[in-house]
Amino acid sequence: MQVWHMNGAGNDFAVIDARKKQYDFAKLSLKLCKEFGADGFMAIDDSDIADFKLHFYNADGSRGEMCGNGARCICRFAYEHHVAGESMAVETDAGLVYGQRLDEIQYRVQLNLPDVLDLARKEDCAYVELGNPGVPHAVKAVTGLNWEQREELRKMAKSLRYDTAFPKGANVNLYDWISEEEIRILTYERGVEDYTLACGTGSASTAVVLWKSGQMKKNDIAIHNPGGVLKVSLQTDGKEIRGVFLEGPTEVTEIRETAYLL
């Protein structure tokens, strides 16, 4: 089996082509994420409604609804395996996602619209799900946030991840403003059970919260993750969000042959 180790702004994945094959994805995700030290596992499969289907699993073997950086990486994987062209449609558990190759490294995806959006789900913590079923995200401002505070903030982040206000659990996105068009973010991810270097749906969910709460001056925002900068662009009609786009770098860090029994 050929496995690609890829990352999007540091958010890394073990990726395979599973078309015409039968695998136990949950077991495979545990094996490969441990072997590669990856945040998640992805496989492409045949689809009747899109160019291909994305199977996404977290490092703990749980299936995820979708992954923004994963979607950008899987679009590059599909393009370089001649599964799709420069524009493509991806079937995910959260609905169809549309991808675009911008250049050799940069990829953009149109994420699912927010199906659930509650700006005050828990005190000063908002809640967002992109898609239906959507990836659950809690969004909370932390004044003076810097990434060196990760251990200091771990107890709070872990507590919010399991808080009963979020029945599905939640990825926890802590943020602070850098300028009127930039924020810094730190995400504690469900399924990884730790901080990750970047979270695409977390970055997009945070942008959605900021726009809906009237804090964004424009419809584009640069989001500084520990692993790199992601750009989120929103299409709006003045009152509602009509499109959510995530753009950023992708990287192939290793291609390895590994054994796996069917």
Side-chain angles (χ1 to χ4, degrees), residues 180-182 216-222 231-234:
E180 288 188 351
E181 300 177 7
E182 300 171 282
M216 279 176 61
K217 305 300 181 183
K218 298 181 179 179
N219 282 12
D220 297 332
I221 188 168
K231 177 183 176 182
V232 176
S233 301
L234 304 177

Side-chain angles (χ1 to χ4, degrees), residues 3-17 38-44 52-56 66-86 88 90 92 97-111 197-201 227 230 246-255:
V3 184
W4 283 36
H5 187 200
M6 306 183 70
N7 79 79
N11 197 189
D12 65 333
F13 313 95
V15 188
I16 67 167
D17 183 350
D39 296 325
F41 162 79
M42 298 189 294
I44 63 169
F52 59 92
K53 182 174 183 177
L54 166 62
H55 297 284
F56 177 80
M66 225 284 288
C67 175
N69 285 320
R72 294 190 308 99
C73 287
I74 207 70
C75 285
R76 176 171 176 175
F77 183 87
Y79 176 81
E80 297 195 6
H81 282 76
H82 309 291
V83 177
E86 293 193 343
M88 62 198 83
V90 186
T92 78
V97 169
Y98 297 92
Q100 179 70 45
R101 179 182 186 266
L102 303 178
D103 59 34
E104 184 179 353
I105 294 173
Q106 295 285 324
Y107 279 74
R108 178 175 60 220
V109 291
Q110 181 175 2
L111 299 175
L197 291 178
C199 180
T201 53
L230 297 171
L246 176 70
E247 179 181 330
T250 63
E251 181 182 14
V252 181
T253 53
E254 182 182 4
I255 300 175

Side-chain angles (χ1 to χ4, degrees), residues 5-74:
H5 187 200
M6 306 183 70
N7 79 79
N11 197 189
D12 65 333
F13 313 95
V15 188
I16 67 167
D17 183 350
R19 293 174 298 163
K20 314 302 182 188
K21 297 180 177 66
Q22 295 292 324
Y23 293 118
D24 184 328
F25 290 135
K27 289 183 179 179
L28 190 54
S29 65
L30 289 169
K31 169 183 168 62
L32 293 180
C33 287
K34 182 178 180 179
E35 182 177 332
F36 286 86
D39 296 325
F41 162 79
M42 298 189 294
I44 63 169
D45 206 348
D46 293 315
S47 172
D48 295 327
I49 60 173
D51 291 291
F52 59 92
K53 182 174 183 177
L54 166 62
H55 297 284
F56 177 80
Y57 283 77
N58 297 301
D60 66 357
S62 61
R63 189 172 179 102
E65 299 87 350
M66 225 284 288
C67 175
N69 285 320
R72 294 190 308 99
C73 287
I74 207 70

Side-chain angles (χ1 to χ4, degrees), residues 206-252:
T206 302
V208 165
V209 168
L210 295 178
W211 189 87
K212 288 294 289 186
S213 61
Q215 299 183 62
M216 279 176 61
K217 305 300 181 183
K218 298 181 179 179
N219 282 12
D220 297 332
I221 188 168
I223 300 185
H224 294 251
N225 290 265
V229 181
L230 297 171
K231 177 183 176 182
V232 176
S233 301
L234 304 177
Q235 281 185 350
T236 67
D237 62 6
K239 294 183 179 180
E240 299 296 332
I241 295 171
R242 302 300 182 189
V244 180
F245 298 85
L246 176 70
E247 179 181 330
T250 63
E251 181 182 14
V252 181

